[in-house]
Amino acid sequence: MKILVVGAGAVGGYFGARLEQAGRDVTFLVRPARAQQLQRDGLRILSPHGDLTLKPKIITAQEIVSAYDIIFLSVKAQALDQAIKDMTPAVGPQTMIYPVLNGMRHIRTLTKAFGERAVLGGVCIVIADLDEQERIVQIAPLQKLTYGELNGEITPRIRALDDTFRDAGFDTELSANITQEMWQKWVMIASLGLVTCLLDGPIGEINAVPDGQQTVLQAIDECVAVATACGFPPPQSLIDNILKQATLKDSKLTSSMYRDLKKGAHVEVDTILGDLVDYGHSYQVEAPLLQAGCVRLRVYQNTLKSTSEKR
C-alpha cells in the first residue's frame, strides 16, 4: 500500500522511517524547509532500537499528483488546518486517514473535511523529540501504533492497514474499541502534561517536595473523573500505570508539553487540557488543577504570540 506520512517530525519521521526500513512504500509530505534539510542530511534517528539514517522519498504539497492508500497524519494540533489543505490532493475515495494527534478534537475536524468513512482512529505511543541538529531522538524504548475503525468494525481495509504496519520494527494493535483507547491516552498525557507544566518540573522533582505527590494524585483524579463522566472510564490497569509513573521520587520523566514549554515552543494546551476542561464544565466535574494548568498555559501561549508579533 502507498503510505503518505504527513509531517517528518519526531513521531511521523520515526514511524515512517521504520516502515520504510521494513520495505514499505513510504513518502513524506513536508514543508519546503524540511524538504531541503532532509535532502541535505537525510532522515536521522537515534534510538534504543538501533540508529538509522535514510534518504526518504519526500514530496511537497504542490507536487502531489495522485491519491495514497494510507495517510499517516502526525502533525501537532496547531498545524492541522494547514496539513488538511496540503494533503487534500492525496485523498481519494479509498484513502484511509490514520491520525495520531492528541485528544479528540481532530476527529471532528477531519470528518468534516473528508467525511466519516475516510477517517480512522489512532493512538501512538512513543517518546521522541527533535534535537538541535533536526535528528529524531527516541528517549525511551516504547514504540506502538494502535488503530481501528471509529465504529468498532473489523473491516477488510483495516485488516489491510494492519498487515501493512505489522512486523515493521515496532509494536502494533488492531483495536475494535479505538475511541476508548484514544481517551485512555488522552487521560495519560493530560495527567502528566498538567502536573509537569503547572508545577514546572520533572515528576521526580515534584514528588520530592512536601505536598507534591498529593498534588500529582489530585491532578490524575481530575483527568480520570472527566473521562469517566464522558462515558470513557479508564481501566484500573491504566490508572495504576499512570500512578506508578507519576509518583516516583527519582524519576526524570517529563511530558512533551513540558518539553515544548521549556523550548519556548507552541504547546497543545487547547486540545490536551482545554477540551478536558470544557467537558468537565459540561458534566459539572470540579477540576481546579486542570483549569489552573489550562489558564497557565494559555497565558504562556498569549505571551509567546505577542512576543512573536513584535519581532
Side-chain angles (χ1 to χ4, degrees), residues 113-248:
F114 300 109
E116 291 184 1
R117 186 183 184 282
V119 183
L120 304 173
V123 172
C124 165
I125 302 294
V126 69
I127 303 176
D129 211 346
L130 286 179
D131 69 7
E132 66 282 353
Q133 299 178 48
E134 299 293 323
R135 299 178 302 182
I136 298 168
V137 180
Q138 188 181 12
I139 301 167
L142 291 170
Q143 48 175 17
K144 182 177 181 180
L145 296 180
T146 305
Y147 33 81
E149 299 279 7
L150 290 168
N151 63 7
E153 293 183 19
I154 304 299
T155 59
R157 70 170 190 166
I158 199 65
R159 289 192 184 279
L161 181 141
D162 181 42
D163 288 341
T164 301
F165 283 178
R166 203 169 352 106
D167 300 323
F170 49 83
D171 297 327
T172 59
E173 181 181 351
L174 173 55
S175 173
N177 196 6
I178 193 63
T179 302
Q180 175 71 35
E181 304 263 8
M182 293 170 70
W183 270 89
Q184 289 176 196
K185 182 189 176 184
W186 192 4
V187 168
M188 180 177 67
I189 62 172
S191 298
L192 296 176
L194 170 58
V195 295
T196 54
C197 291
L198 180 60
L199 303 176
D200 196 27
I203 288 296
E205 293 181 13
I206 296 167
N207 286 309
V209 302
D211 298 320
Q213 187 171 102
Q214 185 57 41
T215 305
V216 169
L217 294 175
Q218 182 180 333
I220 295 170
D221 284 346
E222 289 181 9
C223 295
V224 170
V226 173
T228 301
C230 293
F232 299 96
Q236 189 59 48
S237 59
L238 176 75
I239 297 173
D240 290 343
N241 184 46
I242 296 173
L243 291 172
K244 181 180 178 180
Q245 293 185 61
T247 54
L248 296 173

Side-chain angles (χ1 to χ4, degrees), residues 13 25 48 78 91 97 194 199:
D25 184 353
Q78 64 270 19
V91 180
I97 300 173
L194 170 58
L199 303 176

